[in-house]
Amino acid sequence: SIPDGPGVSPARTAALRAEAEALYLGTRPKTRAAAEAAAHLLDGVPMHWMVDWSTPVPLVIAQASGARLVDVDGHAYDDFCLGDTASLFGHGPAPVAQALARQATAGLATMLPSPDAALVGDLLAARFGLPYWQIATTATDANRFALRAARAATGRPRILVFDGAYHGAVDETFVEIGPDGRVGNRPALMGEPRDLATLTRVVPFNDLDALEAALADRTVACVIAEPVMTNCAMVLPQPGFHEGLREITRRHGTLLLIDETHTLSTGPGGYTRTHGLEPDMFVAGKAVAGGIPAAVWGMTEDVAERFRTARINRPDGHSGMGTTLSGSPLQLAALRANLEEVATEAAYAQMNRLADRMEAGLAQVLSEARLPWHVARCGARVEVVRAPFPLTDGRQAKAAHYPALEATTHLALLVRGVLISPFHDMMLASPATSQAQVDNLVAATRNVVERLVG
Ligand code: PMP
């Protein structure tokens, strides 16, 4: 089992936190003033989770380019968070920036296709291997629409998610297996009076027996899964898991939706293409259009046909999908530029080389400090996991999560000029990241770890 303690002393963590906080506040007068000035934003931020980062007041970024950020006080950071994957290919890749500038004078939002539309469909089909595509504005929406299409196509009411997974703000996925083994709404979920477990089943990742049992009554329309769980630290699939997942879903007539929003870090066609998965539906958001709000969802010929038939059978039918800005000329221009010119084989090769260096450097730091942690990896995505062995499911991931220690580590790295993803220990390598930046990350981590273990 996972050890009780994360391997560092609470007193050392508190001392490092106090020191980093004093340094952060003492050297950032404009950042502090910006927080005070934001009187008419709820919690002082444009999006509430910005106050949940490790910083005593939010970092305010004046400039983001490549893999480098500069705050309003002029401090520079090596950015390994990259907007939690939205900027996986670096901030403002030149081809995307140029396409956006061109499109700005040719129409931003028309609710009609632009000449890029057909080409974007071709690019998505060639890259991800499914024949039919739709554009949404967020990965959350793409997942919602895909789940709705799955229900319409199968005529079944339920979905299944893996315990500990995150697929965006999709209401019906906010369920978990409680300590008593019962499935229910996440206890901390606010403003949700419905019992989401009525229509959502939950089983542990990597548990094919539980999956088999949950699909046996053939009421589940769709399993939604990240191929690697990336939102609760990192949980890798065990050998045979994906083969089993595909075989069991097929046998029970349940569609398989693979959400590649984060695992796009694996390679140009996501984890799906690298590992030969065969999903019925596919979602990617965030980085897919180089950081502007766009997401894509795709389906097989079979799903498309069943969805079409369902619509023909309901001539009065209303899809319940859409959003006005989805499929906009702006999104199409950015998707085209990103897929054609930015997210290339060469870019991924470079990202993987950098991530190799990151993984090796961080593993060395952990081993020198004799910490019972390890480094997990999914292409350009690297995660320090606070457990001695690979995690197998969401429950283990939860047990390996130490919020106070993680926040302290993040703030201590920040004042050393390194930004990593908030809420867990995730780092990304972009094609714009330099080897020197990776070496800075490793050196700063060594410095912080030495302070923690003494
Ligand atoms: N799917 C996965 C796997 C994600 O990690 C996220 C966000 N972290 C989403 C979907 C939702 O993306 P968005 O917030 O852009 O809607």
Side-chain angles (χ1 to χ4, degrees):
S1 70
I2 292 181
D4 291 329
V8 300
S9 87
R12 282 183 177 278
T13 307
L16 185 62
R17 169 88 208 175
E19 181 191 289
E21 208 167 295
L23 192 57
Y24 182 86
L25 290 170
T27 55
R28 286 169 182 76
K30 291 183 181 158
T31 304
R32 283 183 3 235
E36 277 166 30
H40 292 288
L41 293 173
L42 187 66
D43 297 342
V45 282
M47 176 59 209
H48 69 82
W49 61 36
M50 295 173 185
V51 290
D52 298 336
W53 286 59
S54 65
T55 48
V57 297
L59 192 61
V60 180
I61 299 303
Q63 176 68 38
S65 52
R68 189 166 179 275
L69 305 176
V70 180
D71 71 18
V72 285
D73 285 292
H75 302 279
Y77 306 92
D78 296 320
D79 185 8
F80 297 92
C81 169
L82 295 169
D84 192 24
T85 315
S87 299
L88 176 63
F89 305 110
H91 295 284
V96 173
Q98 285 152 13
L100 294 178
R102 275 197 307 274
Q103 195 60 42
T105 53
L108 296 174
T110 55
M111 221 171 84
L112 286 168
S114 71
D116 288 330
L119 189 72
V120 166
D122 293 350
L123 289 168
L124 292 170
R127 180 175 287 252
F128 299 122
L130 290 173
Y132 295 111
W133 292 89
Q134 288 280 276
I135 313 300
T137 298
T138 65
T140 296
D141 276 348
N143 280 326
R144 287 174 45 225
F145 302 157
L147 290 173
R148 185 177 286 262
R151 284 180 164 124
T154 60
R156 296 183 180 183
R158 296 199 163 82
I159 64 160
L160 183 143
V161 301
F162 289 104
D163 188 46
Y166 182 71
H167 296 285
V170 181
D171 292 334
E172 59 190 325
T173 59
F174 292 139
V175 285
E176 67 176 34
I177 305 175
D180 59 358
R182 290 193 43 201
V183 172
N185 290 12
R186 292 203 176 157
L189 182 61
M190 295 173 67
E192 179 54 82
R194 296 167 292 182
D195 176 6
L196 301 171
T198 314
L199 290 177
T200 306
R201 293 195 167 147
V202 190
V203 299
F205 198 69
N206 281 316
D207 186 341
L208 293 173
D209 292 339
L211 179 73
E212 175 83 50
L215 300 189
D217 71 0
R218 302 175 78 90
T219 63
V220 177
C222 188
V223 170
I224 178 170
E226 279 193 280
V228 173
M229 288 219 290
T230 64
N231 282 291
C232 52
M234 189 181 286
V235 183
L236 295 163
Q238 290 180 336
F241 175 68
H242 276 294
E243 290 82 350
L245 171 60
R246 184 61 281 194
E247 189 277 318
I248 293 167
T249 46
R250 262 195 193 128
R251 184 152 43 76
H252 293 295
T254 297
L255 299 177
L256 177 59
L257 162 51
I258 294 289
D259 177 357
E260 292 258 19
T261 298
H262 276 178
T263 47
L264 220 47
S265 61
T266 314
Y271 191 95
T272 289
R273 203 171 94 198
T274 302
H275 294 274
L277 305 190
E278 295 176 9
D280 300 295
M281 305 185 90
F282 181 105
V283 160
K286 296 200 182 185
V288 75
I292 72 133
V296 299
W297 59 285
M299 69 206 90
T300 58
E301 179 75 52
D302 176 58
V303 173
E305 189 50 38
R306 289 158 76 187
F307 186 44
R308 264 188 224 119
T309 307
R311 285 159 72 201
I312 290 165
N313 292 338
R314 281 288 310 272
D316 61 334
H318 167 53
S319 79
M321 300 170 193
T323 86
T324 314
L325 297 179
S326 294
S328 73
L330 179 81
Q331 291 175 324
L332 294 168
L335 276 163
R336 178 179 176 177
N338 195 57
L339 296 174
E340 277 186 338
E341 298 175 68
V342 179
T344 59
E345 296 276 353
Y348 273 97
Q350 165 75 354
M351 290 151 77
N352 261 307
R353 272 194 298 275
L354 291 164
D356 286 344
R357 191 174 180 93
M358 213 187 280
E359 181 185 15
L362 293 171
Q364 172 81 23
V365 168
L366 300 184
S367 109
E368 282 164 13
R370 295 177 193 285
L371 280 166
W373 306 346
H374 71 279
V375 184
R377 169 89 185 274
C378 174
R381 175 179 301 267
V382 176
E383 176 97 29
V384 170
V385 181
R386 298 182 197 284
F389 45 75
L391 306 171
T392 57
D393 60 28
R395 177 181 296 223
Q396 285 192 356
K398 200 183 262 184
H401 178 43
Y402 298 91
L405 171 64
E406 284 156 19
T408 296
T409 305
H410 294 185
L411 188 62
L413 288 172
L414 190 72
V415 296
R416 288 163 174 77
V418 168
L419 184 76
I420 72 170
S421 206
F423 319 134
H424 52 110
D425 283 17
M426 190 278 286
M427 292 143 271
L428 293 165
S430 80
T433 305
S434 69
Q435 191 168 299
Q437 287 183 301
V438 172
D439 294 345
N440 282 348
L441 165 72
V442 173
T445 305
R446 177 174 281 112
N447 190 251
V448 168
V449 162
E450 278 168 0
R451 289 289 310 276
L452 286 169
V453 297

